[in-house]
Amino acid sequence: MAINILAPWYLLAQNQAYPPVTCNYSTPSNTPINNVTGNHPIFIRKAAAESVVLLKNTNNTLPLRVGVGLKVAVIGSDSRGHAAPVFQGSYTQGTIFEGWGSGSVDMNYVEAPLESITRAFGEDKVTSSQDDFNLNAARSVAGLADVAIVCVNVNSGQEHNTIDGNMGDRNNLTLWHNGDNLIYAVAAVNRRTVVVLHVTGQILMPWIDHPNVSAVLLAGMPGQETGPSLVDVLTGVTNPSGKLVYTIAKNERDYPARVTYTGTPIVQIDYYEKLNVDYRYFDNNSIA
């Protein structure tokens, strides 16, 4: 084992004028930022846009035309940004672009949807309401717009961190931050309501058949180019060609399992479904 560890050390001359280590994960806020991204943002933006799943688009809502004076309302705290640099797992408000845990990273910047949408359509054409619980404000802004974009989210990660009462795994399948009520409030006053989902898995969508919810985009966890990639899809620059990697049930009772809230110290879970996992379960039980 010692040879395996030391061999690359000497091979790479780490004992001779090797650059000093500047990263200390235990104190990330004191770590200097070395921007080595190069042209990575271009590929991040492209991958994020092409990965968007178009769940609904009626009445030719999308794509939105730029430069024709379209008045756009952007609703929800998930539309706004974070102060740079952005440390993973440290936020409970603002747009969600990744989960938290060992697979997440700190960002030099995150360009949020509101910033990108404003740049695309013009400051004089974009209004916003970012208080998820002030439904009157959301309705007021949305009612005066040609199209209303509602950004909502849920997040999850490893259990070492608790965010918004969720210790790692989510507590349920509902949207965070009053998301369902926010969508209903906006859809009540705007017939071109576009819902943008930044989510880490299945959610309940009781509003999916609302006639005024005319488009739904599942953007997942798009990374630092979340805003620009969303605008690319909204305006038709990029075709949202992503596919769902899980089945979204119309009703919670349609899922074969339920969230377990009790049991210590380890919950025993028995798997009886054999191969009838996810879409196979739905097909086998004729659940549409």
Side-chain angles (χ1 to χ4, degrees):
M1 180 180 294
I3 293 175
N4 291 338
I5 294 174
L6 292 175
W9 171 276
Y10 287 110
L11 177 65
L12 298 174
Q14 294 187 39
N15 60 323
Q16 299 175 6
Y18 199 80
V21 176
T22 60
C23 177
N24 187 341
Y25 191 77
S26 63
T27 57
S29 60
N30 297 327
T31 300
I33 296 175
N34 300 313
N35 191 345
V36 294
T37 57
N39 60 354
H40 293 178
I42 297 174
F43 298 104
I44 295 171
R45 176 174 180 170
K46 183 175 185 293
E50 292 180 352
S51 298
V52 171
V53 182
L54 180 64
L55 296 181
K56 184 178 182 180
N57 188 26
T58 58
N59 303 322
N60 297 316
T61 297
L62 298 178
L64 303 177
R65 296 178 61 190
V66 178
V68 296
L70 196 70
K71 292 183 290 184
V72 181
V74 183
I75 313 293
S77 65
D78 184 70
S79 68
R80 70 168 179 257
H82 307 269
V86 184
F87 299 114
Q88 59 95 3
S90 62
Y91 52 89
T92 57
Q93 293 288 328
T95 193
I96 286 181
F97 54 91
E98 67 172 351
W100 70 84
S102 58
S104 55
V105 297
D106 299 331
M107 305 286 185
N108 290 334
Y109 69 89
V110 173
E111 183 167 329
L114 178 58
E115 180 181 353
S116 300
I117 293 170
T118 301
R119 182 184 303 110
F121 292 93
E123 290 188 9
D124 61 329
K125 299 299 180 182
V126 176
T127 55
S128 70
S129 173
Q130 298 169 24
D131 186 340
D132 301 317
F133 295 88
N134 191 338
L135 301 183
N136 288 332
R139 281 188 287 260
S140 178
V141 170
L144 299 175
D146 297 313
V147 59
I149 301 171
V150 188
C151 297
V152 291
N153 62 44
V154 295
N155 205 351
S156 61
Q158 291 175 269
E159 64 178 352
H160 66 75
N161 211 349
T162 300
I163 295 182
D164 201 30
N166 298 267
M167 187 178 70
D169 290 335
R170 291 180 287 149
N171 295 333
N172 48 52
L173 298 179
T174 60
L175 289 169
W176 286 9
H177 309 306
N178 203 36
D180 291 327
N181 291 329
L182 192 64
I183 293 170
Y184 276 123
V186 172
V189 297
N190 194 300
R191 63 184 181 85
R192 298 178 70 191
T193 296
V194 179
V195 176
V196 177
L197 301 169
H198 290 131
V199 298
T200 52
Q202 292 100 324
I203 60 167
L204 300 177
M205 297 188 290
W207 33 262
I208 189 68
D209 291 326
H210 194 295
N212 288 349
V213 176
S214 54
V216 180
L217 297 173
L218 196 159
M221 301 281 105
Q224 67 186 41
E225 296 292 321
T226 174
S229 62
L230 176 61
V231 167
D232 287 346
V233 172
L234 289 172
T235 59
V237 173
T238 301
N239 181 41
S241 52
K243 302 294 186 294
L244 285 174
V245 296
Y246 44 73
T247 300
I248 299 177
K250 192 168 185 179
N251 300 295
E252 185 173 9
R253 64 178 179 272
D254 292 337
Y255 288 110
R258 301 289 180 270
V259 177
T260 300
Y261 297 99
T262 60
T264 57
I266 298 176
V267 178
Q268 176 68 31
I269 299 177
D270 297 315
Y271 295 89
Y272 300 104
E273 61 269 30
K274 298 183 180 180
L275 295 179
N276 291 323
V277 178
D278 200 73
Y279 72 90
R280 292 190 183 97
Y281 171 84
F282 287 82
D283 289 346
N284 191 57
N285 291 274
S286 301
I287 301 175

